Amino acid sequence: MEGREFLALATSPLVAVAADTATVPAILAKCGVPDAVQFLRPFGLRHCANVVAQDVHGSSISLDPCFVRFADIHALDAVAPSALLSTLATEVVSKYASLSHQLPALRTAQEVEKFRQSVNIETLTPWFQFYIHLLSKYMGMSEHETFNHPVACLVVVSTSDPDPVSTAKALLNDSNLPPSLKRPFVDPYIQRLYLLIHDAEEVPHVDPNAILASMKRAFPTHLLVVNSAPPTPDQRPVVPDIWSPSIAETAVLLRKISSTTPLASSVPPPPQMNDQGFPVISPGTAHPDTGANLGSGSSLNQQQSVVRGQRMSISDFSGVETFIRDFLLKHVFDRMTFMMREWERDVASARRGISGRLYKVGLKYFSGSRTAAAPPTPFTDQATDHVIFPFLSPELIMRRLGDYAFMLRDFKYALSIYESVKKDFSTSEKFAKFFAGVQEMIAITSLMLTDSPKTNIDTLADTVIQNYSDAKCPLYSARAAMWITEMIKEHHNYRDAANMLIRFSGEESDLRGAFFMEQAAICYLRTTPPMPRSYTFHLMLASNRFSKCGLRNHAQRNYLTTLEAYSGLNWTLIEDHINFALGRQLFHQGNVQNAMDHFVKLLRKSRQSAAGQRAYLAEFLYIYQQLAAGTDSQALDSPIQSIPLPTIQDSDVTVYSRRSSTGDVAGTLPGTPAGQTGGLSAAGLLSQQHGGSASGDDDGAWELLEQQLLEFVAQSGSSAPAGSGAAGSTRRKQPLPGNVTLVQTSPDASTSTAVGEPVTVSFQWQNPLQVPIPTNNVFLECTFGDQPETHTELQILPNGDVPSRIARPEFELEVLHDVSLDSGEKRQVNLKIYPMQEGEITVIGVRYLLCGVIPSFRRFQKRGRRLNDTPAQRQDPNGVYAPDVSLKISVTPPMPVLDVVFHSFPESMLLGQVVQVALELNNKGTRGLKNLFVKPSHPTAFCFGDGTSIELPSYAPILTKSEATLHETMVVANTLEDDSAVALQLPLPDDATTASLTPNSKESLARGVLPPSQTTLVPVWLRADKPGRHSFKLLFMYQSENQGSYRTLRCNLSLQVYPSLRINTFTRTSLTTLNEFILGIEMENLHPSLALTFRQITSISPSWQIEPLVADEKPQACHLAPQQTQYHYFRIRRWADRPPLVVHQSPEMLTTTAIERLLLQEDPVPLTPPNIELCIRSLGTPRNLSTSKSFPLDSLMHSQRYSARMAHLRQQYPGLSQSQLHQLFTLIWTDDLDLAFFWESPTSQQRGHLALSGINLCLYSPLPVSAWLGHLDAKTLIGRALFSATVRERKALIQSFVKSRGSAGGAKDSSPVRVIVKTEPQVTLDESGNASVSVFVTLGNTSWMHIAEYAFEAVSPRRAAASSPHLTTLGNDPAADQAPNFAWVGQTQFYGTLDPEGQTQIELHACFCAAGLFDVNRWRLSVTLSFSPEALRAAAASSPQSSKSAALTAATAAGSGSPTASSSEKRTSLTYIQVPTMAQQVLVVADEPKLASSLATPQQ
Amino acid sequence: MSRPNLYFVIVGTRDNPLYEAEFGPIARGEVAKKDDLRHMNQFVVHAALDAVDELVWGTQAMYLKVVDRFNEWFVSAFVTPGGVRFMLLHDTPNTDGIRNFFLECYELYIKVLMNPFTEINAPIVSGAFDQRVRAHARKWL
């Protein structure tokens, strides 16, 4: 019910009922109704249809719906005192507080629309309906308005009364008016009507009509017959029960009154006034009727089972209805109309215009009957200090006129009356209440008339509220606000209604504020479009007000709605506010557990200020203490587990084993300070397989090292003879320990440790708050094996100290006493577990004491790797994760623990310097250590020796020789083999130490096992390979003597390398000799202060050797002062004693066929090149030559060569993997040359060498891949080869092989045929002016696998200039054109074939006819290369696919600009055209030989 | 001259705040009394989104000027084409300054969006963004 209907009810005419208490209640009690008022009231609330009244002008007004209110004449304002009403309202409203009435959380307009369709919004807040009805109904009489003044009085007597007439008279007579009617502002002369109730059962012998007749003689009386229905056994009423709701409502109210005030019966009756308006003090007894009312109210409690209307028959019921209707129409409305007309005539018109006044003047002068007495004036009630207008004062008459008009729905007239009376009340501030009342009615009446009145409702409302509050009538102000809002809502202006409610929520009453805010919120749901956010916001405001006025349940209900609406949106301050408020509400309600839940949510990182967080934390702690005080500690476990302080990232929780000594840091210091004797401790990090986590950046590098080392160990374990290829080599290989088997667990495996070795659990602990939080007594909670989870208690020692460890039989736990966190601080917490038994320890979480009060437990919830195996797993939006195992620690039997220390590890070195350092290995564990491997990150920098080599010098001198040259040979394996991982052989103890060892230890050492707590030394040679700062990583891996699993040790070393010598070399072919090169060396001492001596140069090559430039040159030491540069020249000559080449075993041919196999997708065959013999030639100062054959120099050289070779190959063939490179290429090619430059510092005795690897002295491309494979169609290759690779990768790979000719990658492309022209430098013209000279041309084929078919043509200078484009260089020489020329005589064209490494000589004759300088180096050589029969045979033998490939179409040459290909050959032939590049000049003189000799020197 | 109290928030399409900043005495915590009511800033701004939702259909401008008021507070709004709303709570009217401020912030926001790793409706945690917004606030507000 709202809007018009509600107001029609609230402002319906009020009828005072005065009933005979002696007989009437007894009769009505049979119907189950306590008294006459209760009996009649529901009938007045029933809609009386088709009620028509007349307005003041005589026109009809339909009153539909039409209501009439009945009230006990003695209780017209029974509940009125506003304070009581307010408490009452609070009490009653609180009964609606159950959470089932929670309003919905709505976020979007769509949700609201949907909700609006499903629910009647009016019914959402029954408590508000109750409140508004309460205020409207039980407000009581007031002096400023007349809605609650009775318009008529009904006197009820019964026929049971022996003398109803006199009883009726006694009930209401002018001399004995009830106090409520005695008030000065109440009109006592109201219509009186009498009702006679007859119960035939009660008085069977009485004739009701006779009594009615006798009554009617005295007053207008109506007869009502009740209880005519016979009593039925089931007491089922035949009429509808219309009484129960109103009786129940009143009963509740009365019960509340009696319960709220201890003196229930002393509900203060309204102050009685005497005629002068003074209160009559009669405190002796309450009015009996009031007491009766209350009594009946309380007796209702016992009569809950009473059936209402049980004895009423249908005719009784309709009789009452008819009576009410007649009563209304004939008595109430008629009388009201009559009164209105009278007042209109007497008072209202007088105030209206000239005519009214004239009329009044006329009355005054012409009607003598009326006294012209002055109208009554307002006076001030002394008791209440209220201004009171007596009921006859024109102002109040006007007001009553307006109210009557309003009741009869003549709103236009009512409005005009209100408007006119408004002026009277606006004159004085004392009339504020009256003024407010009129304004209120103006607003409401205007809204009744139209939905958009001219007057501004907001302004009116403001005035109303203002004036009511001035008059201190907050309830009326509330009522006015509600009535006006109801009317605005009636017009569907919900937004205005909301604004109105918000405006009137005011500060004075929290209850009203709360209700209004809530109603405003609901109005926002009804707007178009809906405003869900405003709804939520105002619900929150309402909650605040509810909580202020003590309606906690209502507050909580709305807070919950708000929290739900804001959840997940991340409005942190809002969430904090609501959680805090809810936590408090719940706490005050005694629901501490739930309060904690809300408070816990506050303890997080938010935008809250530090002060706010401090308050939250303090309140939280207080509540926790309350909770702790209330419950036993066991029950506390559950909520406290979820405290999010301090925060821990679960994924950051790591477990690793670390040396037990404290304060150790991963890695080592860069160098040992001078004077420190202990050497450099590589203690660093003792890492357990996969469990380790040192500094995060290096992790990848370490894991790679470990993986490579594992591969190495696995290979050497399975194919131990892999190194046997080098059996014959002189280079020393580290013997591998036999039977290496590693038990490798999967990467997901848990951390493992040995008994007695502590494991550290590390996690990052962060304080999200801006307030410091003290945290104490931190320890881990773990379980062992399958034991169930337990709650580990920290036993505080008797003296109050906290123990540093918690001991359990299986393990001990470290306890950190104080880990307090400052505001926002991050702290790494490391907690140790000391395993005591073999088995498995699972870390469950961490226990700590938060803020000194709360024992907390934080469970670690790590998850394993993300699973990606099935589509379901892949598509799961949250991902599917493997169970975590990283928090499980498997405890193994005791293990060896390796500790390594480098003694005298240098801080800095010069480039190339070699230093011997001692590596001390110490087994600190309790088991023997075996199978020790080491893998350095920089293999070229380390060379590990063994026990036998500890005395070896870095550079073994050859003291016996006095020559300046040293010639050695060495056979090495030609496979590319990465041997950076080294198996360290433990040195056998020498005699001195043996004595102190037990026999067991001796025996262990002999088996290669390092017994516990034994130390041994291993020599290590360190070579500074590159300048700069280096950080070396050494990964040691070892096993226990009786276990298969391995352990690793990571060791970090760092070294600064300063530059020493810089060496540039270049080679150039000799002009005069085949197979000879000139080597130029530019050598610069870069060291700023140290003089260096260049001591020795060594060449290592299968085909070449170094020689002095001048054969008999005396070698001498070259001293290089700081910053000095020197040049040296040497000759490189073919090694004369080179073993004959086997073409099909040559490295190049093997590689070529291997590439062919790869491209043709044939099964790879392991490359097994034969060992290769190297010529080592050293030149240097006598008696000081070092051999490169001996350890450790050979090892250093080898690793240097390997790394240089790999770097070169990786650069040239980036598409190939390392294993492919190992399968395709050899370590050394036939024409490779390595150079080593040895230097020493005479002052500091530092020695070192620089190495230059991989100089290829071959003239032509050493890998004839393109020629070899040229007959295969390029597309065929791409289509067939390498199905595993993508097309792009395949193309790139083939390009790198085939098109590498002439590319920058280093593969050369030129003809292998060398031409050397020799002639006489000078001739003299004979008498005839002619001269001739023989020119000898030597053609040499430097290739050992090609047959060169050549066509040599001596080109005459003129022709060459005119025709040959190849000779443009000559043709451009103007001097050659104009100068007198020479001519070739004799045969000028030669054809022939050159075998591999063969040579031939051609003689030409040049004839000169003038003197001058002539260039005779004029020829053109066309060379066609084809593979030698040996090469083809080798290919046929090695490639089973070659027959197939031969059948393929002969192809065009791959690569643009390549020499023309001949398709007749199976293998593509290469054709080169060569022309001279330099002049070979002959001086022709007439007769002055001296001059000629000086000019004839050929230019080099 | 005391600086006005301001609360700026970027609200994503799901009504979640993407970025929040307070300028003026509130931010520095000088007003102890107001400190207790900081959550009201969020409430008021959030409630004003209703008004924005309504107003946005009636204009083509992105800047909606003052859309709502609560007690002494004004709420100005700016709606990006993507439906992200910039809301500014202020206690002194300053239409042009706020317009400029919003436009500058819009540019900054676009830059954030252009980062390919930006997720829609994810909070903006960039320190540079914060710094620049504050600089613009100093300049315009």
Side-chain angles (χ1 to χ4, degrees), chain A residues 22 487 564 853 995 1000 1400:
Chain A
M487 281 316 297
E564 200 180 324
V853 178
N1000 267 346
T1400 182

Side-chain angles (χ1 to χ4, degrees), chain A residues 1322-1343:
Chain A
Q1322 180 183 2
V1323 288
T1324 312
L1325 293 175
D1326 60 5
E1327 297 81 19
S1328 57
N1330 291 330
S1332 83
V1333 68
S1334 294
V1335 179
F1336 297 97
V1337 179
T1338 310
L1339 301 179
N1341 180 6
T1342 59
S1343 168

Side-chain angles (χ1 to χ4, degrees), chain A residues 330-527:
Chain A
K330 289 184 184 156
H331 301 281
V332 177
F333 291 153
D334 277 3
R335 168 80 178 176
M336 282 169 73
T337 314
F338 171 76
M339 293 301 294
M340 283 165 66
R341 282 186 187 144
E342 198 159 286
W343 292 330
E344 160 73 22
R345 192 183 63 234
D346 289 354
V347 186
S349 55
R351 316 172 136 255
R352 210 182 286 131
I354 289 283
S355 64
R357 283 179 200 154
L358 280 179
Y359 175 73
K360 197 177 178 187
V361 170
L363 264 189
K364 193 172 179 182
Y365 288 99
F366 301 111
S367 94
S369 64
R370 297 248 168 195
T371 57
T377 51
F379 60 93
T380 305
D381 183 354
Q382 298 297 324
T384 56
D385 203 25
H386 289 166
V387 175
I388 289 177
F389 283 88
F391 71 94
L392 278 178
S393 64
E395 290 88 351
L396 199 61
I397 289 176
M398 285 292 279
R399 167 75 207 213
R400 188 177 289 128
L401 176 60
D403 288 351
Y404 277 24
F406 187 89
M407 285 188 219
L408 295 180
R409 322 259 165 101
D410 186 359
F411 298 120
K412 222 173 204 170
Y413 180 67
L415 184 58
S416 70
I417 296 295
Y418 289 137
E419 289 282 3
S420 87
V421 78
K422 177 178 83 175
K423 292 171 199 131
D424 296 336
F425 295 132
S426 63
T427 52
S428 165
E429 284 181 5
K430 289 190 287 184
F431 308 151
K433 188 173 179 184
F434 297 87
F435 184 64
V438 172
Q439 292 277 45
E440 174 190 0
M441 290 318 293
I442 290 175
I444 292 171
T445 322
S446 313
L447 284 168
M448 284 286 185
L449 286 169
T450 166
D451 61 345
S452 52
K454 280 180 206 154
T455 47
N456 188 343
I457 297 297
D458 287 354
T459 329
L460 275 177
D462 280 343
T463 328
V464 173
I465 306 300
Q466 183 61 43
N467 281 297
Y468 269 134
S469 64
D470 287 352
K472 299 187 175 57
C473 305
L475 281 183
Y476 280 103
S477 124
R479 196 191 68 173
M482 286 190 287
W483 283 10
I484 294 173
T485 320
E486 286 298 312
M487 281 316 297
I488 297 176
K489 282 193 314 204
E490 173 78 16
H491 297 301
H492 302 289
N493 289 330
Y494 293 108
R495 197 170 300 182
D496 292 347
N499 289 338
M500 187 74 73
L501 285 165
I502 292 163
R503 187 175 318 167
F504 295 152
S505 57
E507 294 294 327
E508 58 267 30
S509 162
D510 284 322
L511 177 70
R512 193 195 338 152
F515 277 137
F516 283 12
M517 280 299 177
E518 196 173 59
Q519 287 307 305
I522 287 174
C523 283
Y524 280 122
L525 283 188
R526 303 177 76 176
T527 56

Side-chain angles (χ1 to χ4, degrees), chain A residues 15 17 36 39-40 43 48 68 70 153-156 193-197 220-225 315-332:
Chain A
V15 174
V17 177
F39 181 74
L40 292 173
F43 289 97
C48 303
V68 61
F70 292 96
C153 186
L154 193 63
V155 180
V156 185
L193 195 68
Y194 292 81
L195 185 63
L196 183 66
I197 293 181
T221 312
H222 197 94
L223 176 69
L224 267 189
V225 179
S315 65
D316 293 347
F317 195 81
S318 59
V320 181
E321 281 191 324
T322 319
F323 159 70
I324 299 274
R325 188 183 165 83
D326 287 355
F327 172 65
L328 268 180
L329 279 178
K330 289 184 184 156
H331 301 281
V332 177

Side-chain angles (χ1 to χ4, degrees), chain A residues 107 495 529-535 537 540-541 562 566 569-574 577-578 607-609, chain B residues 7 9 11 14-17 20-22 35 38-40 42-44 46-47 49-50 53-54 70 85 123:
Chain A
R107 282 191 186 179
R495 197 170 300 182
M531 302 171 72
R533 306 180 188 96
S534 303
Y535 158 74
F537 175 40
M540 190 282 301
L541 291 177
T562 322
Y566 279 109
L569 288 186
N570 211 15
W571 293 90
T572 50
L573 291 175
I574 290 180
H577 171 76
I578 300 172
R607 303 181 65 245
Q608 200 63 250
S609 64
Chain B
Y7 169 65
V9 57
V11 184
R14 288 198 312 254
D15 281 7
N16 51 328
E20 293 175 80
E22 285 160 344
D35 200 51
R38 279 172 67 202
H39 65 273
M40 285 301 286
Q42 293 194 337
F43 270 122
V44 171
H46 184 255
L49 292 176
D50 277 332
D53 277 2
E54 199 176 342
F70 181 81
R85 288 145 295 180

Side-chain angles (χ1 to χ4, degrees), chain A residues 1247-1315:
Chain A
R1247 296 182 75 173
H1249 68 273
L1250 302 175
L1252 195 61
S1253 294
I1255 305 169
N1256 191 274
L1257 291 176
C1258 182
L1259 281 180
Y1260 50 93
S1261 170
L1263 268 192
V1265 177
S1266 65
W1268 192 257
L1269 301 173
H1271 64 288
L1272 299 176
D1273 186 281
K1275 280 182 190 166
T1276 319
L1277 279 178
I1278 290 169
R1280 292 167 52 84
L1282 305 167
F1283 287 110
S1284 59
T1286 64
V1287 172
R1288 184 185 295 250
E1289 283 167 351
R1290 254 182 285 157
K1291 270 186 184 163
L1293 180 64
I1294 291 170
Q1295 288 289 323
S1296 72
F1297 283 131
V1298 172
K1299 299 222 172 156
S1300 62
R1301 300 179 48 158
S1303 70
K1308 294 163 281 188
D1309 179 35
S1310 59
S1311 163
V1313 175
R1314 290 197 58 199
V1315 182

